[in-house]
């Protein structure tokens, strides 16, 4: 098989993105919403779908969706760019502003796709380290920006997988130091009490990325967007494939925005459950819980993290195992589920952590 064509040299060592799926009853490993979208939304969307001319390409400019989004966040429509999940937004940003002889700055541990897509687009990766509390140290960040002049600097807030919400001010510090884009990934922004959305203006190269996958319970439809200066959106539109966003997804996003009240109630319920999980986890001996502003919680077990993960799986609960990751030794990430799922997780965890069952009552 030596005559098989080879991929690009720089891609050969690259590993695919893996998030193992197992057939268990409680799945708390991929930060999805545990709730289906409201049935009224599904009916309204299905009704609207009948009006789509399937033989025609979708609206290339996704005008209805962008107008509805712009109104809901109080930004001009020209500052909104939509794509197939926020992953495609990130990819389009890197295709446009990254590439050969350019670099992207990431602060690890963070969302693996930032550096993964950077590499796929031929963009160099500059790795900054987060502080012990997983925040980005502004002084260290400025030094890295000055030294490497990245074309794109990623700030993930709340950060996946740590849940850390970046203190107000870090975005400004980065913007003041950087000549390139500052991309704030707010895939979990609705669960936090701080957002950079209102900071986006024409004057600064700030991009804020969001998704319909989590809060809006629409992970299956792949819909994400960013808010960016008009001059950034215009460049992204040149790079993204024509007609990339299916009519069904555009329509789902537009219709979903009419159900803001229902979605806000879901966010509030998940935030309450997150707080309950954090409180309960803090009582389990040998567990360190990291503060989270997202719909998941990172915890460190004292002992063998992978063994605890396996014991949870044996009890029908799947969480994400980060125990083998650099900087995340013995860490597991649990997505906030329904109260029943969270109870199942807590019960399984108490049984899975050595010494916890008796110590915790
Ligand atoms: N950004 C972050 C930080 C994420 O955790 C995820 C999903 N895991 C995404 C972006 C991508 O989400 P989607 O493509 O579903 O919008």
């Amino acid at each position: 098989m030596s005559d098989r064509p080879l991929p690009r040299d720089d891609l050969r060592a690259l590993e695919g993105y893996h998030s193992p799926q197992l057939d268990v009853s409680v799945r708390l490993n991929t930060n999805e919403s545990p709730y289906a979208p409201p049935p009224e939304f599904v009916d309204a969307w299905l009704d609207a779908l009948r009006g789509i001319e399937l033989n025609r390409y979708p609206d290339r400019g996704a005008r209805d969706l962008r107008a509805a989004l712009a109104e809901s966040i109080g930004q001009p429509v020209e500052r909104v760019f939509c794509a197939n999940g926020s992953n495609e937004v990130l990819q389009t940003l890197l295709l446009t502003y990254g590439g050969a002889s350019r670099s992207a700055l990431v602060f690890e541990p963070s969302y693996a796709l930032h550096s993964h897509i950077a590499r796929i687009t031929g963009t160099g990766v500059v790795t900054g380290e987060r502080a012990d509390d997983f925040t980005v140290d502004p002084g260290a960040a400025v030094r890295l920006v000055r030294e490497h002049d990245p074309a794109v600097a990623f700030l993930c807030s709340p950060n996946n997988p740590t849940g850390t919400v970046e203190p107000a001010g870090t975005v400004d510090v980065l913007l003041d130091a950087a000549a390139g884009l500052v991309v704030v990934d707010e895939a979990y922004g609705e669960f936090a009490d701080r957002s950079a959305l209102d900071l986006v203006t024409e004057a600064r190269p700030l991009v804020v990325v969001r998704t319909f996958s989590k809060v809006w319970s629409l992970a299956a439809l792949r819909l994400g967007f960013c808010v960016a200066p008009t001059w950034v959106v215009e460049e992204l539109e040149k790079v993204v494939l024509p007609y990339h966003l299916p009519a069904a997804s555009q329509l789902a996003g537009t219709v979903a925005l009419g159900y803001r009240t229902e979605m806000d109630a879901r966010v509030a319920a998940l935030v309450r459950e997150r707080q309950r999980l954090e409180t309960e986890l803090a009582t389990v001996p040998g567990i360190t819980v990291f503060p989270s502003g997202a719909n998941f919680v990172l915890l460190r077990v004292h002992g063998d993290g992978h063994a605890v993960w396996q014991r949870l799986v044996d009890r029908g609960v799947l969480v994400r195992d980060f125990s083998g990751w650099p900087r995340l030794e013995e860490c597991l990430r649990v997505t906030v589920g329904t109260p029943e799922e969270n109870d199942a997780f807590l019960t399984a965890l108490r049984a899975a952590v050595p010494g916890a069952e008796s110590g915790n009552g």
Side-chain angles (χ1 to χ4, degrees):
M1 284 298 160
S2 57
D3 53 355
R4 278 187 181 170
L6 293 170
R8 256 166 41 201
D9 286 350
D10 58 329
L11 292 185
R12 247 180 269 167
L14 205 67
E15 286 189 22
Y17 179 72
H18 297 293
S19 180
Q21 290 297 345
L22 296 173
D23 195 11
V24 294
S25 52
V26 180
R27 273 177 40 186
L28 301 175
N29 63 327
T30 45
N31 299 343
E32 292 146 323
S33 173
Y35 301 111
E40 305 79 34
F41 155 79
V42 178
D43 288 342
W45 173 57
L46 292 176
D47 285 348
L49 268 181
R50 291 192 195 287
I52 289 182
E53 290 182 284
L54 290 176
N55 54 320
R56 301 290 176 194
Y57 284 111
D59 176 12
R60 192 169 168 175
R63 278 164 302 183
D64 289 349
L65 172 60
R66 288 170 61 217
L69 269 170
E71 200 191 317
S72 78
I73 54 181
Q75 284 276 6
V77 63
E78 297 78 15
R79 287 196 195 140
V80 181
F81 172 80
C82 298
N84 289 275
S86 48
N87 279 340
E88 196 189 27
V89 176
L90 298 169
Q91 185 190 53
T92 311
L93 283 163
L94 281 161
L95 284 170
T96 311
Y97 288 92
S101 75
R102 293 180 167 218
S103 66
L105 173 61
V106 295
F107 297 96
E108 299 291 359
S110 194
Y111 182 45
L113 266 268
H114 295 155
S115 49
H116 185 73
I117 303 173
R119 292 194 175 95
I120 288 172
T121 56
T123 313
V125 176
V126 176
T127 305
E129 299 289 330
R130 287 173 178 266
D132 286 345
D133 67 355
F134 291 132
T135 57
V136 171
D137 173 50
V142 167
R143 280 195 294 282
L144 278 173
V145 167
R146 297 221 171 107
E147 189 184 342
H148 297 280
D149 190 21
V152 181
F154 284 105
L155 203 60
C156 192
S157 180
N159 183 46
N160 183 8
T162 63
T164 322
V165 181
E166 226 36 77
T170 307
V171 173
D172 283 328
V173 170
L174 267 178
L175 278 167
D176 288 346
L181 288 190
V182 174
V183 175
V184 183
D185 186 337
E186 289 193 359
Y188 305 94
E190 291 90 341
F191 300 104
D193 48 18
R194 247 196 311 280
S195 168
L197 267 183
D198 291 341
L199 303 180
V200 177
T201 64
E202 292 303 298
R204 306 193 296 178
L206 170 64
V207 180
V208 178
V209 181
R210 289 216 160 181
T211 180
F212 278 73
S213 297
K214 319 287 174 184
V215 170
W216 293 96
S217 302
L218 290 177
L221 284 175
R222 313 300 300 122
L223 188 57
F225 66 97
C226 70
V227 182
T230 309
W231 43 271
V232 171
V233 172
E234 282 165 4
E235 299 301 328
L236 301 180
E237 295 287 3
K238 285 185 212 164
V239 170
V240 79
L241 291 175
Y243 309 115
H244 65 125
L245 195 58
S249 308
Q250 295 189 27
L251 203 51
T254 313
V255 176
L257 290 169
Y259 294 82
R260 169 125 252 149
T261 317
E262 288 82 345
M263 292 310 178
D264 285 347
R266 279 149 202 258
V267 172
L270 288 169
V271 168
R272 276 197 303 277
E273 274 299 298
R274 178 189 76 214
Q275 288 162 346
R276 182 173 77 90
L277 263 182
E278 288 175 321
T279 310
E280 299 252 0
L281 283 169
T283 69
V284 182
I287 297 272
T288 306
V289 192
F290 297 97
S292 170
N295 66 337
F296 55 83
V297 178
L298 187 77
L299 49 122
R300 172 167 280 140
V301 307
H302 293 202
D304 184 342
H306 181 71
V308 172
W309 177 85
Q310 184 60 56
R311 276 182 233 130
L312 290 173
V313 171
D314 295 343
R315 288 171 173 81
V317 178
L318 180 61
V319 300
R320 184 81 190 267
D321 181 8
F322 282 97
S323 62
W325 280 45
R327 312 169 187 88
L328 293 173
E329 290 77 17
E330 315 317 342
C331 283
L332 305 177
R333 188 196 67 194
V334 56
T335 303
V336 180
T338 62
E340 297 73 30
E341 288 173 325
N342 300 332
D343 283 341
F345 161 70
L346 286 166
T347 306
L349 184 75
R350 288 195 173 109
V353 177
E357 221 169 355
S358 55
N360 198 47

